[in-house]
Amino acid sequence: MIAQRIEEGVGTITLDRPEKRNALSRELVEAVLAALDVFRGAGVRAAILRAAPGAKVWSAGHDIAELPQGRDPLMYSDPLERLLREVKAFPAPVIAMVHGSVWGGATDLALSCDLIVGDETCSFAITPVKLGLPYNLVGLLQFSRRLPLNLVKEMFFTASPLSADAAARWGILNHLVDSGELEVFTMALARTIAANAPLAVAAVKEQLRILTESGPIAAGAFERVQELRQRVAESEDYREGIRAFQERRPPDFRGR
Ligand code: YXS
């Protein structure tokens, strides 16, 4: 499901569920969370999250087979949402090392990492509308704080992958490097971070998390956002989106 190792103060987690394209099932998420716990106990000073060498898909996102039906799936307690929070709260920088395509909630996971290093094969798609779903508040705020609103809208409305070049141009990637250099480059970056004062680095990470995540939202606005989510999650279109994926056919959305 995953591989993990610690060397020279750098912890590496390798997603390894190729048969399901590293879809983030509860089991896979729990394994990553457990590895982060081990890293926390070992006092690692930087972490790398990657897929197995040569994987064409970094991660296919939330495990569709585990999406609750008829209600909003991306609730606070959802395993993937827990992982996003743990990555952001982890007391050392987490670097997403991306070879291959990234889909749906996995794009949110990559954006939740502190840095992203990708190669020419990487791409990023956010795909809820392909399933008949909207997205959750935390995720929408994350995208809208990171990227120009017109790009966020294009990514969500089209559900089309953003290419490596576009991801570099829009700042999703910290670095776009050749696939042959990706591992060496990412490890060198992690070691540079690991050589600095860990308490200071951890403090800056948490300071920035608190500052970027704080932002007032009127209660009424919050209620409206939640109602929009709930109404769509209860739609027939969401059920059709799941069925279409399982039956490997294009969905036939009717707007109800
Ligand atoms: O039929 P088998 O058993 O071989 O399994 C197939 C797929 O069903 C499975 N698989 C997945 N299973 C659960 N959840 C997934 N997200 C998922 N993706 C794939 O993996 C086996 C191989 O799939 P296949 O034949 O399609 O592989 P491929 O190499 O031709 O294509 C790889 C992908 C990733 C392009 C393709 O599998 C794909 O488009 N997957 C769905 C990507 C996606 O829409 N992810 C969003 C998941 S929902 C989510 O993250 C959030 C709720 S949201 O939507 O809000 O972002």
Side-chain angles (χ1 to χ4, degrees):
M1 200 62 86
I2 71 163
Q4 64 194 76
R5 76 168 190 275
I6 298 175
E7 57 177 326
E8 299 175 54
V10 176
T12 299
I13 295 170
T14 301
L15 303 174
D16 196 18
R17 188 193 181 205
E19 73 284 0
K20 294 290 185 181
R21 303 300 183 266
N22 291 338
L24 298 164
S25 60
R26 175 183 295 276
E27 189 183 3
L28 179 52
V29 166
E30 297 293 354
V32 175
L33 287 169
L36 287 174
D37 261 352
V38 169
F39 288 2
R40 186 190 280 259
V44 304
R45 297 184 175 181
I48 296 170
L49 182 60
R50 59 167 296 169
K56 287 188 173 35
V57 179
W58 190 77
S59 171
H62 200 296
D63 189 319
I64 293 173
E66 295 183 358
L67 284 176
Q69 309 218 0
R71 67 168 177 79
D72 190 298
L74 294 178
M75 304 300 276
Y76 187 80
S77 58
D78 176 84
L80 178 53
E81 293 301 314
R82 282 173 42 223
L83 178 58
L84 302 186
R85 292 196 296 274
E86 175 51 33
V87 165
K88 292 174 194 169
F90 188 72
V94 180
I95 306 170
M97 184 182 108
V98 184
H99 173 88
S101 56
V102 186
W103 302 85
T107 293
D108 207 346
L109 173 57
L111 287 177
S112 298
C113 293
D114 300 287
L115 294 80
I116 308 179
V117 183
D119 67 19
E120 71 279 2
T121 70
C122 78
S123 67
F124 299 86
I126 182 70
T127 51
V129 301
K130 268 182 18 185
L131 286 175
L133 280 172
Y135 208 57
N136 65 16
L137 186 63
V138 172
L140 288 169
L141 282 173
Q142 161 127 282
F143 275 87
S144 59
R145 285 176 176 149
R146 284 286 295 274
L147 298 167
L149 189 57
N150 59 320
L151 177 69
V152 175
K153 289 179 178 180
E154 181 176 348
M155 289 183 75
F156 272 92
F157 298 161
T158 65
S160 299
L162 203 66
S163 70
D165 287 337
R169 186 165 63 248
W170 290 109
I172 289 177
L173 297 182
N174 289 72
H175 302 279
L176 174 56
V177 301
D178 181 82
S179 48
E181 300 299 314
L182 181 64
E183 193 165 329
V184 169
F185 182 96
T186 306
M187 183 51 87
L189 179 59
R191 285 200 186 108
T192 300
I193 294 170
N196 291 322
L199 294 179
V201 169
V204 169
K205 173 172 174 174
E206 180 63 357
Q207 288 169 313
L208 288 170
R209 184 186 70 79
I210 293 167
L211 290 170
T212 51
E213 286 184 0
S214 58
I217 178 168
F222 177 79
E223 292 298 333
R224 170 86 175 116
V225 166
Q226 292 301 92
E227 184 184 286
L228 286 167
R229 273 174 74 184
Q230 195 57 38
R231 192 180 304 154
V232 176
E234 289 164 357
S235 69
E236 171 52 31
D237 273 356
Y238 173 34
R239 281 187 286 278
E240 163 60 12
I242 298 280
R243 271 196 307 270
F245 177 79
Q246 289 163 342
E247 295 165 9
R248 305 173 81 85
R249 61 174 171 77
D252 175 18
F253 292 132
R254 301 292 179 87
R256 56 171 183 261

